[in-house]
């Protein structure tokens, strides 16, 4: 197992090109199960999670190829309807093969994903939506066994205790594409990744309106065809590089980024005293004055993304004054707090809140990555800390950041991998 070593203190400068969005790509790959025709997906990031999803597609009878940033998915005569525990337990996004499989094959057996380090992550909304479309669901030996004749349309309210659900919206929207009649999903997730999936489905022949808003209308069709689609830029990777620029007092020019997907982050950065210079596809930041503390509350899009919470916490650690984070999507997503405190941060967790008192400096230390975004937060802390930080269990980072060490090296960072 490899670890990442960082010698902090370098102001990062230069251009970085943001990769395609992981959280768009994974459900989009699942959507290729809705058709027998070929699909071509461009701007696909080459990540551990991408490869896991391609393995799942192959296990379900597809031929897949990832060449540079293009994925081709082709059908074979051998179809399978079982998504195995060994895949779904390592990557929750694989649960969104359920909707496409049952809509296309009228049967599916998909492992339940189980627990997760960022907190309880139930799938009740996925199942509620699919049941409403006429899918018969049983839980057998840790698997969801789904059967249907033809799916029928329904008016579905998909809001849960913590608001809308991204992957449940994806799962139900994909299934509804082949249901008879007009389905309405109310309290649908508005994340850009859901809208991107809808754009692909429309290219495949689906009739969808309202994607990107809380009410999505889907008029079912009999069949879907193949399509070619280009994935949107990864807003979370972009946000992570924006904070890498600020935290090191550097000057990174982000390319291939959609600033309007990052409004909540940009707004908070302006509040803390940062000037944001953006065009339609690029962002550059300037620290203008002494930074001011800020408060953030994570919320579904267009609110502040939970996937930027850990990285923002690292930034708050070196921002003078008291900043407060309220985590409303995953109230237990705070595994990084103890690790940041080992680096000299002053963070106190109280239930779903973290109170961060800015310190003059962080100091490098051996720390442990617990999940993808927590790891990104630790990388940011390591970039600004004095001395050496080593981050163990970096396979978490490889799940969601394409060539993170190489991109940071190109900006001047002293960062490298070492064998544990
Ligand atoms: C997606 O997960 C993302 N994953 C996550 O990114 C992200 O953190 C999350 O959305 C929130 O933005 C992918 O897109 C692959 P949810 P998802 O269902 O869809 C509750 C990363 O680091 N809920 O929107 O699984 C749930 O517990 C990852 O890239 C139910 O109660 O998240 C949470 O509190 C991690 N019942 C809230 O809804 C359900 O059936 C939102 O979760 C489903 C979810």
């Amino acid at each position: 197992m490899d670890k990442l070593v960082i010698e902090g203190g370098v102001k990062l400068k230069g251009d970085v090109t943001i990769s395609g969005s992981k959280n768009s790509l994974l459900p989009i790959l699942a959507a290729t199960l809705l058709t027998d025709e070929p699909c071509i997906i461009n701007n696909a990031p080459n990540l551990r999670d991408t490869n896991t999803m391609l393995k799942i597609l192959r296990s379900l009878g597809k031929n897949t190829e990832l060449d540079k940033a293009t994925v081709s998915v082709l059908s074979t005569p051998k179809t399978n309807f079982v998504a195995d525990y060994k895949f779904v337990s390592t990557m929750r996004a694989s649960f969104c093969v359920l909707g496409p499989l049952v809509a296309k094959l009228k049967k599916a057996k998909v492992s339940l994903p189980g627990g997760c380090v960022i907190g309880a992550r139930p799938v009740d909304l996925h199942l509620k939506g699919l049941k409403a479309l006429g899918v018969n669901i049983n839980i057998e030996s840790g698997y969801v066994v789904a059967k249907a004749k033809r799916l029928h349309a329904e008016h579905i309210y998909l809001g849960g205790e913590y608001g809308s659900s991204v992957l449940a919206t994806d799962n139900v929207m994909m299934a509804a594409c082949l249901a008879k009649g007009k389905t309405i999903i109310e309290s649908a997730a508005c994340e850009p990744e859901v809208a991107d999936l809808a754009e692909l489905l429309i290219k495949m022949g689906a009739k969808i309106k309202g994607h990107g808003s809380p009410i999505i209308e889907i008029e079912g069709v009999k069949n879907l065809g193949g399509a070619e689609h280009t994935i949107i830029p990864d807003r979370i990777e972009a946000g992570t590089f924006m904070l890498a620029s600020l935290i090191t007092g550097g000057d990174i020019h982000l390319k291939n980024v959609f600033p309007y997907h990052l409004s909540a982050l940009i707004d908070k950065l302006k509040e803390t005293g940062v000037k944001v210079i953006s065009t339609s596809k690029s962002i550059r930041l300037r620290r203008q004055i002494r930074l001011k503390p800020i408060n953030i509350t994570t919320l579904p899009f267009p609110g502040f993304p939970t996937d930027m919470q850990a990285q923002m916490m690292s930034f708050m650690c070196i921002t003078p004054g008291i900043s407060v984070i309220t985590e409303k999507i995953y109230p237990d997503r705070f595994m990084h707090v103890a690790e940041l405190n080992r680096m000299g941060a002053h963070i106190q967790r109280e239930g779903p809140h973290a109170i961060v008192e800015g310190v003059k400096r962080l100091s490098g230390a051996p720390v442990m990555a617990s999940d993808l975004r927590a790891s990104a937060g630790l990388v940011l802390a390591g970039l600004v800390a004095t001395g050496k930080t080593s981050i163990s269990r970096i396979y978490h980072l490889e799940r969601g950041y394409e060539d993170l060490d190489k991109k940071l090296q190109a900006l001047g960072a002293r960062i490298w991998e070492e064998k544990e």
Side-chain angles (χ1 to χ4, degrees), residues 22-23 121-125 165-167 307 329-330 373:
K22 163 183 87 87
N23 289 347
R121 294 180 73 188
V123 291
D124 55 314
L125 296 173
S165 161
V166 175
L167 293 177
D307 289 347
I329 309 284
Y330 297 113
R373 308 303 171 187

Side-chain angles (χ1 to χ4, degrees), residues 31-189:
T32 65
L33 293 164
L34 286 162
T35 180
D36 294 326
E37 292 180 19
C39 292
I40 309 286
I41 312 298
N42 302 312
N43 199 30
N46 189 348
L47 302 166
R48 188 183 280 261
D49 277 6
T50 308
N51 287 301
T52 305
M53 192 52 117
L54 295 181
K55 274 188 209 155
I56 296 172
L57 291 185
R58 287 196 290 272
S59 78
L60 295 169
K62 295 283 190 186
N63 256 339
T64 68
E65 193 183 287
L66 173 58
D67 181 24
K68 299 204 176 81
T70 297
V71 181
S72 321
V73 184
L74 301 170
S75 291
T76 69
K78 232 176 64 187
T79 48
N80 175 23
F81 62 94
V82 184
D84 201 274
Y85 175 72
K86 73 172 181 257
F87 300 122
V88 188
S89 60
T90 60
M91 191 183 76
R92 292 183 61 87
S94 41
F95 194 68
C96 62
V97 300
L98 178 62
L101 282 179
V102 75
K104 177 81 171 41
L105 304 177
K106 309 288 177 275
K107 57 183 176 180
K109 187 174 169 190
V110 178
S111 169
L112 278 162
C116 176
V117 73
I118 66 176
R121 294 180 73 188
V123 291
D124 55 314
L125 296 173
H126 300 240
L127 303 186
K128 174 185 168 182
L130 293 174
K131 278 182 191 165
L133 296 176
V135 179
N136 187 298
I137 288 184
N138 284 306
I139 308 295
E140 290 171 17
S141 311
Y143 280 76
V144 174
V145 179
K147 286 188 189 135
K149 295 210 167 88
R150 181 158 189 212
L151 277 64
H152 58 74
E154 190 51 270
H155 187 123
I156 305 165
Y157 180 79
L158 211 54
E161 204 183 328
Y162 298 97
S164 54
S165 161
V166 175
L167 293 177
T169 304
D170 289 344
N171 236 335
V172 178
M173 179 169 70
M174 288 189 277
C177 288
L178 294 180
K180 189 169 187 298
K182 188 200 274 184
T183 295
I184 295 180
I185 306 178
E186 220 185 310
S187 198

Side-chain angles (χ1 to χ4, degrees), residues 313 317 335-349 355-357 359 362-363 365 367 378:
M313 187 183 284
C317 286
M335 301 292 282
H336 39 289
V337 167
E339 301 303 298
L340 289 171
N341 281 342
R342 297 190 67 251
M343 297 177 74
H346 284 179
I347 310 165
Q348 200 183 328
R349 180 183 165 192
I355 298 136
V356 187
E357 187 188 345
V359 294
L362 295 174
S363 55
V367 288
L378 295 176

Side-chain angles (χ1 to χ4, degrees), residues 175-232:
C177 288
L178 294 180
K180 189 169 187 298
K182 188 200 274 184
T183 295
I184 295 180
I185 306 178
E186 220 185 310
S187 198
C190 303
E191 270 68 5
E193 295 77 17
V194 176
D196 201 26
L197 169 64
E199 290 297 333
L200 165 86
L201 293 168
I202 290 168
K203 288 176 188 163
M204 292 169 77
K207 294 190 178 152
I208 303 177
K209 281 196 223 153
H211 45 295
S213 86
I215 300 184
I216 303 181
E217 287 181 22
I218 306 132
E219 183 76 53
V221 295
K222 283 216 167 107
N223 294 300
L224 292 175
E228 179 164 358
H229 184 72
T230 299
I231 299 284
I232 56 170

